[in-house]
């Protein structure tokens, strides 16, 4: 073989036997030898030619044989991890579908199903995201034609409202909340009701679509015949079992020496128990003879029930404590807002007084968000501790119980502030002259005249977005990056100290990565987000759009974490996503109820419809603001509660948000007939919403 070409014999071999396009492999980048598939006259054979790759390519071009010289071999014959890193764990391929089959091949069915579910969830978020943006744009384009907002912003009406707190707060004009009324209409309009109905149907369609997708994956991955294997006992359970057996064995040895004494005591105890039971039965018979049939109960069953309740109370007590802590945190923020409203209202600056409500609301929401983030980490550790106390028998039981406890505590922590604003704030505040107080001196907070929906929207958006941004950026990006930089600096220092040390192998580098903690934290984050999207979507139509944006980034972020930041986990075969599907079904069903009550009792949609079709003179919304406000005679303020100093003089009547009879009626300040009409319409809408779903 010469440096400029091939000898005649080898050239004839290539020309005669090598079939175009069939080049099996290139063993190394020098191309020292190649293997070709040959078609001989009497069968199939192989021939190995020791020819440099550039010369072989030139000869193939002369003989008009196609060879893959332009396609890089690294991409063709690279490892699965390299392909996943380039085609999946890369922010430049966000627009592409995930290689689910390759993920399953490399990580196993459990992780493959998680990313398949996340892909389906993200894909199906596109329709509600588009529709939510349309609803928001509809509110923007029609806010100038909204009559209640125009009446609220009309300075000529000169509606004087009652003070927000006792003594230190002054009267105020309704027009000062003009911007709040206009912002509330962006999310509280007629299109929001249709969007809430659509989201209830979307949740059902999402679950059905995932069931179909899961069945397809089970068939493709050959999981249909997968049987549930018997799980091995947990080491902790076996250790506790061995300790119990050792105690029983030690106790039995002691009993051998005191057999007769124990026998006598047992016999004596047995007679006492029998006598006690006979006495109990007789007593019960005597008592039951004088009681109705539905009150006759067996004493032994009641004792057994008491023992079971005591046992359950022992394990439910920590959970009850955590529920108390959560509601205490919510109540603490409520007290903070009440106190700050009174303190900041003492500011003599009129502009500061005008913005005091928004300032208190915003700071309270930020404080709520921080409390939610802190307690979430605490509740995760408590859920593990409670599950370990139960000592489950197998790993599957341990994981299911841990998931249920974690979801219960974390969801309660995340949704408790939102539930308070949606269904409790302003419901028990009372009225002027008869307010409800906490700690004796502080009035319960009220909703603004446009309603509590705008505050619910702000609360939901702040907690949802803040939770996602902080978790994604701080806990999943910033902290791992800092740890990685510290690890690289430590490795550089070690290399400088020992330059002659043997370089680390790949398995050493892989072992230095973070250990795999399971897919439960990833599921938990997405399930909580699904709760935000579905449970209170009537108050924040943009929630699906923000969830979609977050998930597009989350998929690539999790992919990068699985490929480069954690150790490759052991493959786990499973047929479905397990208990998470049941949790999704529960959230979807509960979302229908919450959205119905949000529209009925938190939104102003039902009162507006009642006024338009029952009380409006011309069938329009003109006069709704005047209709929704009640009168209060300022002379009826209890001593020490009226404003001590006021900038608005000559006030004899102030207005407040409620449906009550005026002070000049026969029964002043009682609920008016309009109140009962609105309440009946609200309950009817809840039933209609359930039926329409």
């Amino acid at each position: 073989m010469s440096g400029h070409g091939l000898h005649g014999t080898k050239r004839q071999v290539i020309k005669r036997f090598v079939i175009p396009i069939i080049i099996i492999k290139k063993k190394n980048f020098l191309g020292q030898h190649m293997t070709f598939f040959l078609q001989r006259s009497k069968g199939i054979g192989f021939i190995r030619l020791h020819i440099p790759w550039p010369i072989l390519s030139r000869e193939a071009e002369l003989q008009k044989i196609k060879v893959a010289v332009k396609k890089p071999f690294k991409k063709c014959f690279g490892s699965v991890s390299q392909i996943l890193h380039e085609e999946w764990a890369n922010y430049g391929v966000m627009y592409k579908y995930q290689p689910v089959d390759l993920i399953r091949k490399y990580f196993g069915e459990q992780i493959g199903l998680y990313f398949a579910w996340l892909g389906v969830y993200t894909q199906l978020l596109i329709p509600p995201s588009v529709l939510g943006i349309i609803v928001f744009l509809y509110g923007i384009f029609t806010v100038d034609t909204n009559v209640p907002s125009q009446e609220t912003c009309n300075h000529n009406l000169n509606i004087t409202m009652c003070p927000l707190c006792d003594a230190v707060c002054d009267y105020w004009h309704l027009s000062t909340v003009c911007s709040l009324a206009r912002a509330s209409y962006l999310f509280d309009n007629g299109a929001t009701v249709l969007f809430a109905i659509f989201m209830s149907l979307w949740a059902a369609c999402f679950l059905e679509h995932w069931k179909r997708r899961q069945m397809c994956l089970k068939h493709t991955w050959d999981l249909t015949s997968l049987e549930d294997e018997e799980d091995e006992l947990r080491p902790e359970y076996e250790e506790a079992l061995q300790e119990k057996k050792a105690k029983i064995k030690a106790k039995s040895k002691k009993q051998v020496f005191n057999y007769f004494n124990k026998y006598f005591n047992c016999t004596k105890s047995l007679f006492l128990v029998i006598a006690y039971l006979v006495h109990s039965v007789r007593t019960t018979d005597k008592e039951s003879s004088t009681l109705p049939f539905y009150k006759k109960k067996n004493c032994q069953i009641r004792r057994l029930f008491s023992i079971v309740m005591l046992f359950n109370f022992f394990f439910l007590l920590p959970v009850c404590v955590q529920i108390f802590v959560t509601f205490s945190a919510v109540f603490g923020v409520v007290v903070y807002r009440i106190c700050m409203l009174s303190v900041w209202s003492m500011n003599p600056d009129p502009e500061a007084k005008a913005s005091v409500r928004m300032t208190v609301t915003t700071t309270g929401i930020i404080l709520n968000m921080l409390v939610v983030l802190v307690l979430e980490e605490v509740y995760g550790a408590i859920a593990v501790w409670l599950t370990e106390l139960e000592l489950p028998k197998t790993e599957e039981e341990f994981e299911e119980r841990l998931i249920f406890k974690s979801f219960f505590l974390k969801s309660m922590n995340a949704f408790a502030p939102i539930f308070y604003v949606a269904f409790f704030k302003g419901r028990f505040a009372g009225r002027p002259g008869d307010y409800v107080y906490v700690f004796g001196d502080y009035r319960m907070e009220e909703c603004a005249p446009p309603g509590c929906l705008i505050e619910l929207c702000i609360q939901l958006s702040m907690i949802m977005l803040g939770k996602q941004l902080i978790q994604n950026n701080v806990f999943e990006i910033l902290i791992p990056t800092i740890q990685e930089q510290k690890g690289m600096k430590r490795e550089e220092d070690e290399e400088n100290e020992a330059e002659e040390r043997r370089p680390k192998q790949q398995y050493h580098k892989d072992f230095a990565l973070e250990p795999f903690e399971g897919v439960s934290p990833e599921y938990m984050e997405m399930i909580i987000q699904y709760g935000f999207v579905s449970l209170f979507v009537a108050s924040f139509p943009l929630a699906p759009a923000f969830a979609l944006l977050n998930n597009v980034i989350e998929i690539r972020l999790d992919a990068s974490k699985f490929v480069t930041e954690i150790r490759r986990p052991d493959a786990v075969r499973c047929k479905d996503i397990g208990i998470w599907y049941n949790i999704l079904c529960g959230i979807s069903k509960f979302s229908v109820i919450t959205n119905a009550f949000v529209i009925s009792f938190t939104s102003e949609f039902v009162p507006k419809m009642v006024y338009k079709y029952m009380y409006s003179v011309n069938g329009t919304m003109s006069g709704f603001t005047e209709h929704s406000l009640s009168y209060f005679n300022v002379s009826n303020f209890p001593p020490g509660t009226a404003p001590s100093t006021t900038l608005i003089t000559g006030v004899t009547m102030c207005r407040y948000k409620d449906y009550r009879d005026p002070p000049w009626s026969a029964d002043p300040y009682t609920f008016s007939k309009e109140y009962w009409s609105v309440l009946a319409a609200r309950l009817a809408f809840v039933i209609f919403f359930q039926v329409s779903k």
Side-chain angles (χ1 to χ4, degrees):
M1 181 174 59
S2 62
H4 300 282
L6 300 175
H7 291 293
T9 304
K10 292 185 178 181
R11 182 174 296 172
Q12 291 298 324
V13 169
I14 294 175
K15 182 177 180 180
R16 183 177 179 182
F17 297 111
V18 180
I19 295 178
I21 313 175
I22 307 181
I23 298 179
I24 303 301
K25 65 178 180 178
K26 178 183 178 184
K27 207 157 191 180
N28 53 43
F29 68 94
L30 295 176
Q32 296 301 320
H33 58 274
M34 298 298 300
T35 303
F36 295 96
F37 174 81
L38 305 180
Q39 180 68 46
R40 298 183 184 275
S41 59
K42 295 183 180 181
I44 300 175
F46 294 87
I47 183 172
R48 175 167 291 182
L49 302 177
H50 294 270
I51 306 170
W53 180 256
I55 298 175
L56 182 62
S57 301
R58 186 171 65 250
E59 291 296 331
E61 185 178 358
L62 294 174
Q63 300 297 334
K64 297 182 179 180
I65 298 175
K66 296 180 181 180
V67 291
V69 294
K70 294 184 179 180
K71 194 171 183 180
F73 281 89
K74 182 178 180 182
K75 193 170 184 178
C76 292
F77 303 101
S79 63
V80 178
S81 61
Q82 291 176 343
I83 298 176
L84 287 175
H85 188 272
E86 295 176 3
E87 301 295 333
W88 181 47
N90 187 357
Y91 290 101
V93 293
M94 289 183 179
Y95 59 93
K96 294 184 179 180
Y97 286 101
Q98 299 182 87
V100 179
D101 293 331
L102 204 60
I103 297 171
R104 172 251 179 180
K105 179 180 178 181
Y106 189 73
F107 292 107
E109 284 77 4
Q110 186 185 49
I111 297 177
L113 283 173
Y114 163 70
F115 282 103
W117 173 83
L118 183 57
V120 170
Y121 171 50
T122 304
Q123 184 180 5
L124 290 184
L125 277 174
I126 296 176
S129 300
V130 175
L131 189 59
I133 294 174
I134 293 175
V135 170
F136 181 70
L137 293 177
Y138 170 81
I140 292 178
F141 293 144
T142 59
V143 65
D144 293 331
T145 60
N146 182 39
V147 176
S149 299
Q150 293 176 351
E151 292 178 347
T152 302
C153 299
N154 190 355
H155 296 275
N156 297 327
L157 294 178
N158 197 24
I159 299 177
T160 303
M161 303 298 293
C162 296
L164 298 177
C165 59
D166 294 341
V168 296
C169 294
D170 195 2
Y171 302 106
W172 54 284
H173 292 296
L174 182 64
S175 58
T176 57
V177 294
C178 174
S179 58
L180 194 63
R182 292 173 62 87
S184 179
Y185 177 76
L186 300 180
F187 303 98
D188 187 7
N189 52 66
T192 306
V193 180
L194 300 177
F195 181 68
I197 297 175
F198 167 80
M199 286 300 297
S200 299
L201 300 175
W202 172 86
C205 293
F206 162 64
L207 295 177
E208 292 300 321
H209 181 72
W210 167 244
K211 285 172 62 177
R212 292 174 61 87
R213 173 62 172 161
Q214 187 172 252
M215 291 300 296
C216 293
L217 291 176
K218 287 173 64 175
H219 178 74
T220 305
W221 295 349
D222 194 21
L223 299 174
T224 54
S225 59
L226 181 64
E227 297 181 355
D228 295 333
E229 300 179 356
E230 294 185 1
D231 294 336
E232 297 181 357
L233 298 179
R234 297 177 62 242
E236 294 83 357
Y237 179 81
E238 291 183 342
E239 182 181 358
L241 193 62
Q242 293 296 334
E243 292 179 357
K244 188 174 181 180
K245 288 181 178 179
K247 290 181 180 179
I248 294 175
K249 189 175 181 180
K251 190 176 181 180
S252 63
K253 289 181 179 180
K254 294 180 180 179
Q255 288 178 351
V256 172
F257 300 100
N258 302 322
Y259 176 75
F260 293 103
N261 189 22
K262 292 291 182 181
Y263 176 77
F264 176 76
N265 291 335
C266 290
T267 305
K268 181 179 178 181
S269 301
L270 181 61
F271 278 112
L272 291 175
V273 169
I274 293 174
Y276 176 72
L277 291 177
V278 171
H279 176 72
S280 299
V281 170
R282 290 180 178 177
T283 305
T284 306
D285 291 339
K286 291 180 180 179
E287 292 177 355
S288 61
S289 61
T290 60
L291 294 175
F293 71 96
Y294 56 86
K295 292 186 178 181
K296 295 180 180 179
K297 295 183 180 180
N298 191 287
C299 293
Q300 286 74 18
I301 296 178
R302 283 184 289 179
R303 293 190 192 95
L304 181 61
F305 179 75
S306 301
I307 294 173
V308 173
M309 290 300 296
L310 183 62
F311 179 78
N312 290 335
F313 177 76
F314 173 75
F315 286 103
L316 291 177
L317 180 60
V319 178
C320 296
V321 171
Q322 301 312 312
I323 296 175
F324 175 75
V325 171
T326 300
F327 285 105
S328 299
V330 175
F331 183 72
V333 176
V334 171
V335 173
Y336 161 80
R337 288 197 292 231
I338 294 173
C339 296
M340 290 298 103
L341 182 64
S342 301
V343 172
W344 288 344
S345 297
M346 298 179 183
N347 194 332
D349 187 6
E351 295 182 358
K353 282 189 175 183
S355 60
V356 64
R357 185 193 292 271
M358 183 57 64
T359 304
V360 171
T361 301
T362 304
T363 55
I365 290 173
I366 294 175
L367 188 60
N368 259 327
M369 182 188 67
L370 296 177
V371 171
V372 166
L373 293 175
V374 172
L375 288 182
E376 183 174 3
E377 300 299 322
V378 176
Y379 286 164
I382 292 176
V384 175
W385 175 67
L386 290 175
T387 309
E388 290 177 349
L389 280 181
E390 295 181 6
L391 203 64
K393 189 174 181 180
T394 61
E395 288 292 343
E396 183 178 358
E397 292 181 6
F398 180 86
E399 185 177 359
E400 288 184 355
R401 296 183 185 184
L402 177 60
I403 288 172
F404 179 76
K405 289 181 179 60
S406 299
F407 171 75
F408 176 75
L409 293 175
K410 291 185 178 182
S411 61
M412 181 186 61
N413 175 52
F415 300 141
I418 303 174
F419 266 95
Y420 166 74
V421 176
F423 304 122
F424 296 99
K425 183 177 180 179
R427 311 292 176 190
F428 312 103
R431 62 169 178 81
D434 189 21
Y435 283 112
V436 178
Y437 293 84
V438 292
F439 301 119
D441 297 326
Y442 298 101
R443 271 169 43 183
M444 288 293 294
E445 55 182 350
E446 306 172 69
C447 294
C452 279
L453 190 74
I454 183 62
E455 184 175 346
L456 177 62
C457 174
I458 298 173
Q459 182 99 1
L460 176 62
S461 60
M462 288 289 290
I463 293 179
M464 178 181 174
L465 299 180
K467 189 172 181 295
Q468 290 180 350
L469 291 175
I470 293 177
Q471 279 187 341
N472 290 347
N473 295 333
V474 176
F475 293 105
E476 296 187 11
I477 296 179
L478 183 60
I479 294 179
T481 303
I482 295 175
Q483 292 177 350
E484 183 179 357
Q485 291 179 353
K486 289 183 178 179
M488 293 175 60
K489 186 177 181 180
R490 192 182 303 111
E491 290 180 359
E492 291 178 358
D493 295 338
E494 292 178 356
E495 290 178 359
N496 294 332
E497 293 176 359
E499 296 180 356
E500 298 180 356
R501 181 181 299 178
R502 185 178 178 181
K504 289 186 177 181
Q505 300 297 325
Q506 184 62 37
Y507 55 83
H508 287 128
K509 298 179 181 179
D510 293 340
F511 184 76
L513 298 175
E514 294 294 325
F516 176 65
E517 298 180 354
V519 293
S520 295
E522 312 300 332
Y523 272 116
M524 186 66 67
E525 180 182 350
M526 291 295 105
I527 295 296
I528 295 295
Q529 183 203 86
Y530 180 77
F532 282 122
V533 169
S534 58
L535 290 177
F536 301 97
V537 71
S539 63
F540 188 43
L542 294 179
F546 286 108
L548 174 63
L549 180 62
N550 174 80
N551 289 3
V552 170
I553 301 174
E554 181 72 19
I555 289 175
R556 307 304 165 178
L557 181 64
D558 287 345
S560 177
K561 180 173 66 175
F562 273 86
V563 173
T564 62
E565 296 178 6
I566 64 175
R567 302 172 194 168
R568 181 181 178 182
D570 296 331
V572 178
R573 301 201 74 191
C574 57
K575 296 187 294 185
D576 48 35
I577 60 176
I579 193 176
W580 296 109
Y581 182 78
N582 299 330
I583 294 176
L584 286 171
C585 292
I587 293 176
S588 300
K589 293 177 181 179
F590 190 56
S591 66
V592 180
I593 302 174
T594 56
N595 283 303
F597 277 91
V598 165
I599 296 175
S600 298
F601 290 91
T602 309
S603 168
E604 292 293 308
F605 173 77
V606 174
K608 289 178 181 178
M609 293 299 101
V610 171
Y611 173 78
K612 182 177 181 180
Y613 294 105
M614 292 184 61
Y615 298 103
S616 178
V617 178
N618 52 6
T620 63
M621 293 302 299
S622 179
F624 171 75
T625 303
E626 178 73 21
H627 177 265
S628 62
L629 297 176
S630 299
Y631 287 90
F632 179 76
N633 192 337
V634 298
S635 61
N636 295 332
F637 272 121
T641 60
S644 55
T645 57
T646 177
L647 299 177
I648 305 176
T649 58
V651 178
T652 58
M653 293 284 180
C654 65
R655 311 294 295 274
Y656 62 98
K657 184 75 173 180
D658 207 345
Y659 291 99
R660 293 179 181 269
D661 290 330
W664 56 82
S665 64
D667 195 4
Y669 306 130
T670 57
F671 289 119
S672 61
K673 61 179 182 179
E674 289 84 359
Y675 170 84
W676 299 111
S677 300
V678 171
L679 180 61
R682 283 172 168 169
L683 296 176
F685 180 83
V686 171
I687 299 174
F688 165 76
F689 196 89
Q690 299 289 328
V691 175
S692 65
K693 193 270 178 186

